[in-house]
Amino acid sequence: MADRSRIGFVGVGLMGHGMAKNIAEAGYALTVLAHRNREPVEELKGRGAAEAASVAELSAASDVIFLCLPGSPQVEATVAAILAAGADGKTIIDTSTSNPVSTRALAERCAAAGVTLIDAPLSRTPKEAWEGTLDTMVGASEADFDRVRPLLETWAGKVVRVGEIGAGHTMKLLNNFVSLGYASIYSEALAIGAKNGIDAATFHGVIGGGRMDCGFYQTFMQYVVGRDRDAHKFTLRNAHKDMRYVVSLANESGIASHVSSTVKNGLATAESLGRGDDFLPMLSDVVAELNGVRRDGDADR
């Protein structure tokens, strides 16, 4: 049975809805913030959650506040509103994919106000969020990690402490850099193949099941070959945002960003073409179109 902590949740979108659902099912008193999409809010209210009209109202009703937001600007604004409302003794857990540079600065502001900030970004998809089997990489002191771990385990199957505050967001960006880099490689390889008589199904028949296969490859190709639009519901806009954070972190660290900048620029191109709301495997379509490759695998000569 859950402890007596009152939980607030800001950001009940694709990922946050399932996470909040699992917190409620675990028996915690849950308050969610009003959201432009009423469906998840109403669904959670049906499970016993309360709805707050403002961040200040949610903060007053909560001991631990989860954030699952698009990025650092939204996190910074929400944390500022929580601190302005008076939050001494509260814990904020940011599960967004945020910029570690921003996270570390926010942690200092929170500590000065008597608030603990923990970063616990996510891996996997909304399907796993709903099932309670997400992965999370946590930046926190050992004591804070031990204190919040039962809460994290309501929606995560794999919970790993990777270091102090900011380390979770750093590891998440490295994780996304690897996956988005592969998405870029797959997309370009498929376009090269199509230009030279190798269609996507043939490509998949060779790579699938081999040493270069993995879960990410499978969901990517589930769209490319099977045309399942919901196979990997992560937008190109969010992918571009994450790669901007990666490049920013590389610059902040004095690391040459040859590969990360190239991956970021490809995603920037996709978004500039109006494809920001497309999901990640659809990057293969963008790269194909830019290279005169049609969906049937033929190429304009």
Side-chain angles (χ1 to χ4, degrees), residues 1-297:
M1 179 62 182
D3 63 26
R4 296 178 182 274
S5 295
R6 301 170 302 158
I7 310 303
F9 207 106
V10 182
V12 289
L14 281 175
M15 297 292 276
H17 183 192
M19 295 163 67
K21 182 269 293 187
N22 284 301
I23 291 170
E25 285 188 342
Y28 289 91
L30 177 68
T31 301
V32 300
L33 188 65
H35 193 272
R36 66 180 180 277
N37 182 0
R38 295 301 306 171
E39 185 176 345
V41 173
E42 296 301 333
E43 197 277 339
L44 290 166
K45 287 169 67 176
R47 296 176 183 273
E51 180 182 1
S54 67
V55 172
E57 183 180 324
L58 178 137
S59 181
S62 308
D63 303 306
V64 178
I65 302 167
F66 281 93
L67 309 181
C68 190
L69 298 167
S72 286
Q74 295 82 9
V75 170
E76 291 167 2
T78 303
V79 170
I82 293 170
L83 297 183
D88 185 28
K90 297 184 187 296
T91 298
I92 301 171
I93 303 178
D94 181 15
T95 69
S96 320
T97 300
S98 300
N99 188 331
V101 178
S102 170
T103 300
R104 289 191 288 264
L106 280 179
E108 292 181 3
R109 289 181 57 195
C110 286
V115 174
T116 300
L117 178 65
I118 292 170
D119 52 320
L122 317 169
S123 184
R124 308 191 77 172
T125 72
K127 175 178 179 290
E128 287 80 30
W130 191 260
E131 294 170 351
T133 57
L134 289 170
D135 299 342
T136 184
M137 49 220 84
V138 185
S141 70
E142 290 186 9
D144 286 333
F145 176 71
D146 290 341
R147 177 169 57 86
V148 303
R149 182 168 189 160
L151 256 176
L152 303 179
E153 288 177 338
T154 64
W155 47 259
K158 182 178 180 181
V159 180
V160 181
R161 178 180 178 266
V162 294
E164 299 295 327
I165 184 68
H169 285 145
T170 299
M171 187 63 235
K172 170 60 175 177
L173 290 183
L174 297 178
N175 178 83
N176 281 19
F177 176 24
V178 172
S179 64
L180 297 173
Y182 270 113
S184 301
I185 291 171
Y186 300 155
S187 298
E188 190 166 314
L190 287 161
I192 295 170
K195 280 278 191 175
N196 291 276
I198 302 294
D199 63 18
T202 302
F203 179 93
H204 187 40
V206 173
I207 303 297
R211 291 186 65 189
M212 295 307 297
D213 198 353
C214 63
F216 178 83
Y217 171 82
Q218 286 294 327
T219 55
F220 194 92
M221 297 305 290
Q222 194 173 325
Y223 169 74
V224 173
V225 176
R227 307 315 276 174
D228 178 358
R229 292 182 59 86
D230 295 330
H232 194 115
K233 296 175 75 171
F234 183 68
T235 67
L236 292 173
R237 176 174 290 104
N238 277 338
H240 179 206
K241 179 265 294 182
D242 289 356
M243 286 309 304
R244 292 199 305 273
Y245 289 171
V246 171
V247 173
S248 172
L249 186 60
N251 291 340
E252 182 82 14
S253 307
I255 300 296
S257 58
H258 301 297
V259 177
S260 56
S261 290
T262 298
V263 174
K264 185 267 293 181
N265 289 341
L267 293 163
T269 298
E271 186 170 4
S272 71
L273 292 171
R275 306 291 284 272
D277 290 330
D278 284 0
F279 295 136
L280 183 58
M282 299 173 194
L283 180 65
S284 61
D285 295 337
V286 176
V287 173
E289 292 162 12
L290 289 172
N291 286 282
V293 176
R294 299 197 298 272
R295 177 64 191 103
D296 59 12

